[in-house]
Amino acid sequence: MTLRGPSPPATPPLRLGPYSLASLATLTAMVVLALVLGTAAMLKLSYDDTLRQQKTTLRNLSIAFAAQTLIVAQAVDQAMRQVERAYRPGPGAEPVRLDYFDQQGAAQEYLLGLYVFGLDGRLLASDRPPGAAMHAQLPAAPAAADLRSDALQISITSVDRSTGRGIIHLVRPLLNPAGRRIGSVLAQVDSERFARIYSLVELGEGGSVTLFHRDGTMLVRGPGLPLSIGRSFAGTILFRQYLPRAERGTFAARSPIDGKQRLYGYDAVADYHLVIISGMNKSVALASWYGRLWMAVSLLVLICMVVVFLAWRVARDTRRQRALIAQLEASEARAGKSADYLATILNTVRAPIWVLDGTWHVVMFNEAFARFVGRPASEIGGRAEAELLDPEGAPARARRYAQVLGSGRSDEVLASIGDSSGETRTVIHQTAQLLDASGQVQLVSLLTDITERERAEAHLAYLANFDALTGLPNQHHFRHLLDAELADAAAKGTQLGTVVVSLARLHEISDLLGSDAGNAALRQVGSLFQSQLPRAAGVARIKDNEFAMVVHAHHGRSELEEFASALHRRLSNALTVGGREFFIGPMVGVSVFPEDGASADELFRRADSARNRLGSNGDSIHFFSESAHIDLDERLTVEAQLRRALERGELRMVYQPKVSIATGRIVGLEALLRWNNGELGEVSPVRFIPLAERTGLIVPIGAWVLEQTCRQVARWNAEGLVLQVAVNLSPRQFDQKDLIPMVERCLRDSGIDPACLELEITETALMSRAGEVDDLMHAIRALGVELSIDDFGTGYSSLAALKRFPVQRLKIDRAFVRDLGRDDDSAAIVRSIVNLARNLKLAVVAEGVETEEQLALLRGLACDDYQGFLFSRPIEAGAVRDLVEQNHAAFA
C-alpha cells in the first residue's frame, strides 16, 4: 500500500504576536523614512560644506596669486622708478639707451623692454634685454590720455589670437628733478610669464586663474583663452556687484564665456588696478561630494534592504512557527493516522523508496517506487521484491541485504536496474537497516537515478574530443591520434605525413546564404574528409575552416604528394549549397615524419607553417621546407630589430644627386634611407623596405624620413645651398588620415620653401587607387610641393590618368635604363616615355644610369635629368655641399 496522509488543516489568519502584518509594514516604512531623511540632511550639510571649502580654496589661491602678481608689479614699478631717476636727456634727437638691463634687477625676467616717451609722444630712451626681439616689438607712443594721467596705467597689446600671448604695458609719469612732468616711462611685460605661473595649478576641467584690469579687461588667463584676451568683462557680476563691495571674496555664477556654473574666488592686487580671479567648474568642485553621495546612497539602500530583509525574516519565521505549530497540533490530532502522514512526506520525494521485511517483501513504498516498477499501489504491498523490481538483479541485491543486516551499517552501490519500460537505468542504490514498532528488523532502500547525468557526462566527454558539427575529432583529440601514429611509425621505421588544410573561401557561403548554409557546407566538407578513411589514419577539424589528417607513407614522400594532390583536386571542385556552386579555396600544408620533426606538436606546427606560406608563390600544396623556415626566422629577426630602429637612432638619410643631362649641373637630390643595426650590421633597403611596407612600420618611418629631410634642407638653405630634394612616399602612407597635415607640419616646422620639396609616388600605387590618390595629390600640390611618378613604365598608367594627375615629372624605371644599348625595346620604351612627357609638358628623369653609353643615348632621346652610379653613389648629408660646389664650379 502507499503511504499517503491527509492535508493539514487551514492555518488561521496570521498575527505576529502583538503586531499585525500591517503594523510591521508601517514600522518598517517609518524606519526607512527616518533613514532617508537623516541621510538627506547629512548630505545637504556635506554639500554646503564642500562648496564652502572649495570657495575658500579658490579665494586663498587668488590671494596667493595676487601676492605673486603684486611682487612682480612692484618689481616692474620699481624698475620704472629707477629709470625715472636715472634718465638724463641726450644731446641730440636720437633716443638715449638706458642701462637698466646691464645691471641685476628683480623685474628683468619679466620685462621685454623699458621706454621713455616725451609729452609729444616722441621716443626719448629705451632699453631691451638680450633676446627680447623674438617677441617684443617697439611700442607705439602711449595714448594722449596716458601721457596726461598721473596714475599708473596698465593695458595689453599685440595679442596673438592663436595663443593668447600679448604684451602688457605699464605707463608711469616721468618727472624732472623739479617735479614737473616731462613725459612717461613705459614698461613691456610678457603675459606668457604670468600665464605659465597661472597654469601650474590644476583646477580640473573648466578651471582657470585669470588676471583682470579693474576696468574689466582680461589680461592673462591660464589655461589660455586667446579670443578673450583684451576683451572687456566689465558687465559681469564680479565687476558690477562683488568687487565694488569687497576687494576679496567668493561667489558662484554662470561663466560669461561658456555659460557653465562655476565657483569663483577673487582678490584685488593692492595698490594696482588689477584683480586675480580663480574659477572652478561646480561639477569638479563637487566631485568628492558626489563620491560621498553615491557611498551614502549605496549604504542607505543596503541598510534599507537589511531592515526590510529582517522584517521579512521576522514575518516569515513567525509564519513558519505558526505553521509548524498548526502541523504539530494536527499531527497530535491524527496520531492514529501517522502512516498516511508519513506517506505524504515520502511521496514528495521523487526518488523510489521502499521498505522490506525480513523475508524481502515490500511493506511500505512511495508513489515514485510504484511508477518505477509500473504497478498500481494495490498490487505492490506484501509482494516479494524480486517479483516487482528487476528479477535478474534479485540475487545480487539479496547478498547485499544480508551484508547490511550482518554489519548493521548502511550500504551504497552503483547498479544497473531495468525500469517498467524495460529500459536499463543507472542508479545509486542505498540501503539501511531500521526497526519497526514491534522491534522487527526491516530494510529501507532508496534509488537515485543518475542515467541522465551519465549521459551528459558522456556527451561532455565526446565534445571534449570531437567537433559537434562534423563529428570529426577536434584538435585536442587529433594530437593524441598523431602521437599514437607517430609511436607506431617510429616502431616500424616508416614515414608518416601530417596534412593541414585550410579552406580560405569557405566563409563566403555563410556571408552570402547565412550561418545555416555555412554549417551545411561544413558538414559536407566533413563528410568528404571522413571519406579519406582508412587511407588517412586520422581526420580532424582543427578550427572553423581548418582540417588536419594523419597519412601513412609506406612508399615514401611521393605517396604523400599523390595523396595531397588528389585531396586538393577533390576540394577544388565546386561545392553545391542552396542550389549554388561555391569554390572554397583549399590550401594544403604537409610535414613528414621523421624528416621534419619527431613530436606531434612539431609536425603539426610545421605543416601549419607550410600552409601559411602558400600565398607567397601561388602554390596550393606546400611541403615544409627547412630553408623557408630559416627565412621566416630571419625575417622575424629583422622585423623585431626594425621595430626599434627609430627609437635606437639606427636610421639615417643619404642623398643621391640628380643631374641635368644638358648642363651637367646638379639640379636636385633624392633622399634615400639607410639602416645600420648593432646586431645585423648594414641592412640593405631591398631587405628591410618591403618588410616595413608589409608590417605597416613604413608609416612612422616615412614620417621620420620626411621630417629629417625637411630639416636637412633647412640647414642647407641656411648655408646658402638651395636644391630641390625628392622623398619617396609609400603606398601605405596614403592610408594615413593625417598625411596632408603631416606634410604641412614638416614644412612649417622646418620653415623651408615648399618648392624645395618633391614627393615621389610609384606608378603602381598611383594606378591601384587612382581616385583617392588623385585627391591627395591635388592637396599636396596645393601646398606648393612638387610631385613625380617613380618607376614609370612598370605600371599601367593611362593617358587620361596622367593628364588628370598634378605631377611635374616622370622617373623612368631603372630596368629600362639598364638595357639601353643592348635592347631596342628598352630604347623604344624610353623614347615613348620622353615623347609622352613632352606632350604633357612633364620633365623626365632617368634612374640607374651607370655607363657613359646609357647617358649618351638618354641625351639623344632628349631626356632632361638623370641619376645613378655614373655620376655619384648616394652620399652622406655632410658631403653634399662640397660635391655641389665642385660640380657647379666645374660647369659654371
Side-chain angles (χ1 to χ4, degrees):
M1 63 177 178
T2 56
L3 302 178
R4 297 181 181 143
S7 302
T11 304
L14 180 62
R15 292 186 61 82
L16 307 176
Y19 299 104
S20 66
L21 282 173
S23 299
L24 182 61
T26 301
L27 179 62
T28 302
M30 292 177 63
V31 172
V32 171
L33 179 61
L35 289 171
V36 170
L37 293 177
T39 303
M42 287 189 294
L43 286 173
K44 181 60 172 65
L45 291 174
S46 175
Y47 176 87
D48 294 339
D49 186 57
T50 300
L51 288 181
R52 184 167 54 254
Q53 290 178 2
Q54 293 291 5
K55 286 180 179 180
T56 301
T57 299
L58 290 171
R59 183 194 62 197
N60 293 340
L61 185 62
S62 295
I63 292 172
F65 277 120
Q68 177 68 21
T69 304
L70 175 61
I71 293 171
V72 176
Q74 288 175 340
V76 174
D77 197 8
Q78 181 63 31
M80 295 168 69
R81 293 182 185 276
Q82 183 177 338
V83 168
E84 179 183 5
R85 291 192 298 269
Y87 169 70
R88 296 292 182 271
E94 292 297 320
V96 177
R97 180 184 178 278
L98 302 173
D99 62 355
Y100 175 78
F101 290 103
D102 296 336
Q103 309 168 21
Q104 295 294 324
Q108 285 191 9
E109 62 176 311
Y110 295 93
L111 289 171
L112 294 175
L114 290 168
Y115 306 89
V116 177
F117 289 89
L119 293 176
D120 57 358
R122 183 170 58 87
L123 179 64
L124 301 178
S126 66
D127 194 12
R128 292 186 184 183
M134 292 300 293
H135 180 69
Q137 301 175 356
L138 185 65
D146 293 341
L147 290 171
R148 292 191 299 271
S149 174
D150 293 334
L152 178 68
Q153 302 296 317
I154 302 175
S155 61
I156 187 167
T157 63
S158 304
V159 179
D160 185 340
R161 289 304 172 191
S162 63
T163 64
R165 185 177 184 180
I167 300 175
I168 299 175
H169 283 182
L170 288 84
V171 181
R172 173 170 291 285
L174 176 66
L175 306 178
N176 62 13
R180 184 171 60 87
R181 180 164 186 169
I182 60 174
S184 299
V185 179
L186 183 148
Q188 285 186 327
V189 177
D190 188 354
S191 68
E192 177 68 16
R193 299 301 300 270
F194 291 97
R196 285 201 297 267
I197 295 174
Y198 298 163
S199 297
L200 293 176
V201 179
E202 177 57 51
L203 295 177
E205 181 183 359
S208 64
V209 179
T210 310
L211 175 64
F212 282 97
H213 194 281
R214 287 292 289 260
D215 65 3
T217 302
M218 184 184 289
L219 300 177
V220 183
R221 187 180 188 270
L225 193 64
L227 296 180
S228 295
I229 301 299
R231 174 184 163 192
S232 176
F233 290 84
T236 60
I237 192 172
L238 170 65
F239 295 98
R240 287 189 297 101
Q241 179 178 342
Y242 289 98
L243 197 56
R245 291 195 314 209
E247 295 288 297
R248 176 183 297 164
T250 63
F251 63 94
R254 290 194 177 277
S255 169
I257 295 173
D258 56 13
K260 291 186 178 180
Q261 192 71 26
R262 290 194 172 91
L263 306 181
Y264 295 97
Y266 68 91
D267 187 30
V269 179
D271 301 329
Y272 295 92
H273 295 294
L274 298 173
V275 180
I276 291 288
I277 181 169
S278 302
M280 176 187 290
N281 279 2
K282 191 173 182 180
S283 59
V284 175
L286 291 173
S288 61
W289 181 82
Y290 287 138
R292 293 194 294 274
L293 169 65
W294 287 113
M295 184 179 295
V297 170
S298 301
L299 186 59
L300 173 63
V301 171
L302 179 61
I303 293 174
C304 291
M305 290 174 64
V306 170
V307 170
V308 172
F309 175 74
L310 291 176
W312 173 79
R313 283 291 299 268
V314 170
R316 187 197 66 175
D317 292 346
T318 304
R319 186 185 296 111
R320 287 181 176 179
Q321 183 180 13
R322 296 285 295 179
L324 289 174
I325 293 173
Q327 289 179 4
L328 183 58
E329 291 174 349
S331 178
E332 292 174 352
R334 298 191 304 272
K337 302 179 180 179
S338 58
D340 287 342
Y341 176 67
L342 177 60
T344 301
I345 298 175
L346 292 178
N347 287 332
T348 60
V349 181
R350 295 189 178 186
I353 300 175
W354 70 100
V355 179
L356 302 177
D357 60 15
T359 61
W360 316 143
H361 285 74
V362 178
V363 296
M364 190 181 298
F365 59 92
N366 65 355
E367 293 177 355
F369 180 79
R371 289 193 298 270
F372 190 83
V373 300
R375 300 287 186 93
S378 59
E379 297 181 7
I380 296 177
R383 299 282 293 272
E385 182 199 63
E387 299 177 13
L388 302 170
L389 181 66
D390 189 26
E392 294 182 0
R397 292 197 299 276
R399 287 192 296 272
R400 288 185 51 250
Y401 293 159
Q403 292 176 358
V404 171
L405 291 175
S407 64
R409 295 194 298 268
S410 61
D411 181 64
E412 180 179 300
V413 67
L414 184 68
S416 296
I417 296 179
D419 62 8
S420 59
S421 66
E423 182 180 1
T424 300
R425 312 292 293 182
T426 302
V427 299
I428 298 175
H429 187 180
Q430 296 172 289
T431 305
Q433 178 181 298
L434 55 79
L435 297 176
D436 65 4
S438 61
Q440 296 296 315
V441 176
Q442 295 182 333
L443 292 173
V444 59
S445 292
L446 179 144
L447 291 183
T448 303
D449 191 341
I450 61 170
T451 306
E452 298 305 324
R453 188 179 77 184
E454 282 204 334
R455 289 174 180 172
E457 290 174 350
H459 183 63
L460 289 175
Y462 174 82
L463 292 179
N465 290 284
F466 292 87
D467 174 51
L469 184 62
T470 63
L472 296 175
N474 59 17
Q475 183 172 354
H476 174 74
H477 192 40
F478 178 74
R479 295 295 179 91
H480 292 293
L481 290 174
L482 184 54
D483 277 329
E485 294 298 332
L486 283 174
D488 183 63
K492 296 177 180 179
T494 60
Q495 289 185 316
L496 189 72
T498 303
V499 182
V500 175
V501 182
S502 65
L503 309 175
R505 299 178 59 188
L506 186 63
H507 67 90
E508 294 176 354
I509 301 175
S510 297
D511 295 344
L512 184 63
L513 302 181
S515 59
D516 290 341
N519 290 340
L522 274 171
R523 282 190 287 270
Q524 285 190 50
V525 173
S527 298
L528 189 150
F529 277 98
Q530 189 78 34
S531 69
Q532 302 302 306
L533 299 173
R535 176 64 187 84
V539 180
R541 183 187 178 198
I542 303 303
K543 296 178 184 175
D544 290 344
N545 64 340
E546 292 185 17
F547 296 80
M549 290 182 289
V550 184
V551 182
H552 287 291
H554 300 292
H555 303 293
R557 183 188 182 97
S558 59
E559 186 178 356
L560 287 174
E561 293 175 351
E562 180 183 345
F563 176 85
S565 298
L567 175 65
H568 184 269
R569 284 194 298 273
R570 290 195 62 181
L571 292 172
S572 297
N573 293 331
L575 187 69
T576 302
V577 180
R580 300 190 60 165
E581 290 187 342
F582 293 89
F583 295 89
I584 55 180
M587 296 185 293
V588 182
V590 185
S591 64
V592 183
F593 170 82
E595 295 98 295
D596 298 333
S599 68
D601 180 71
E602 187 175 18
L603 287 168
F604 177 80
R605 179 163 42 82
R606 293 193 164 185
D608 195 46
S609 173
R611 178 190 59 80
N612 285 333
R613 296 200 313 275
L614 299 180
S616 61
N617 54 17
D619 291 343
S620 298
I621 303 172
H622 212 292
F623 279 73
F624 175 78
S625 167
E626 187 66 37
S627 63
H629 191 66
I630 294 172
D631 289 343
L632 173 62
D633 180 63
E634 181 182 353
R635 189 174 74 249
L636 293 176
T637 300
V638 173
E639 178 184 343
Q641 294 295 327
L642 184 58
R643 289 186 179 277
R644 301 187 62 186
L646 269 179
E647 64 181 76
R648 290 171 173 169
E650 296 175 349
L651 301 178
R652 74 182 194 280
M653 302 303 300
V654 295
Y655 302 87
Q656 185 171 44
K658 184 165 54 178
V659 183
S660 169
I661 293 179
T663 66
R665 291 171 62 87
I666 296 175
V667 295
L669 302 165
E670 180 178 3
L672 302 172
L673 183 63
R674 294 295 182 264
W675 177 28
N676 190 298
N677 178 259
E679 181 177 326
L680 303 174
E682 190 73 27
V683 185
S684 169
V686 177
R687 187 179 175 194
F688 74 83
I689 292 295
L691 183 60
E693 290 274 5
R694 186 163 55 251
T695 60
L697 292 172
I698 195 67
V699 174
I701 290 175
W704 180 86
V705 167
L706 184 59
E707 178 184 355
Q708 294 300 311
T709 302
C710 289
R711 289 181 179 177
Q712 183 58 54
V713 171
R715 286 191 287 269
W716 284 331
N717 289 349
E719 296 172 358
L721 181 61
V722 180
L723 287 174
Q724 186 182 68
V725 181
V727 177
N728 290 281
L729 277 184
S730 161
R732 293 290 290 266
Q733 289 181 274
F734 284 99
D735 295 328
Q736 288 181 267
K737 295 182 179 179
D738 63 341
L739 174 61
I740 302 303
M742 185 265 288
V743 176
E744 287 180 322
R745 184 177 64 254
C746 290
L747 291 172
R748 183 179 61 252
D749 292 349
S750 63
I752 66 172
D753 184 348
C756 291
L757 179 64
E758 177 185 9
L759 297 180
E760 296 185 1
I761 305 161
T762 65
E763 183 184 15
T764 304
L766 197 65
M767 299 312 300
S768 64
R769 305 169 56 189
E772 296 177 49
V773 174
D774 187 24
D775 294 339
L776 287 171
M777 291 178 70
H778 278 87
I780 292 172
R781 190 70 189 101
L783 299 177
V785 177
E786 294 195 356
L787 294 163
S788 64
I789 300 179
D790 197 12
D791 299 337
F792 190 78
T794 60
Y796 303 94
S797 299
S798 68
L799 203 57
L802 284 177
K803 184 178 179 181
R804 185 174 75 250
F805 293 139
V807 298
Q808 283 64 58
R809 58 185 54 82
L810 305 179
K811 298 190 74 173
I812 303 173
D813 186 68
R814 66 181 63 247
F816 304 120
V817 175
R818 181 182 60 241
D819 294 332
L820 283 178
R822 295 181 295 173
D823 183 358
D824 292 340
D825 291 339
S826 294
I829 292 172
V830 173
R831 182 180 296 105
S832 298
I833 294 174
V834 172
N835 292 336
L836 175 64
R838 289 287 174 267
N839 293 332
L840 295 175
K841 297 181 175 57
L842 302 177
V844 182
V845 181
E847 296 183 290
V849 178
E850 298 182 356
T851 67
E852 290 290 350
E853 181 184 6
Q854 293 170 349
L855 179 60
L857 289 171
L858 289 170
R859 184 179 293 109
L861 294 172
C863 182
D864 297 299
D865 304 320
Y866 78 95
Q867 63 186 80
F869 290 174
L870 176 62
F871 182 82
S872 172
R873 291 179 176 272
I875 59 175
E876 302 292 336
V880 168
R881 179 180 178 84
D882 290 341
L883 180 63
V884 172
E885 289 179 349
Q886 292 171 10
N887 171 261
H888 286 184
F891 293 94

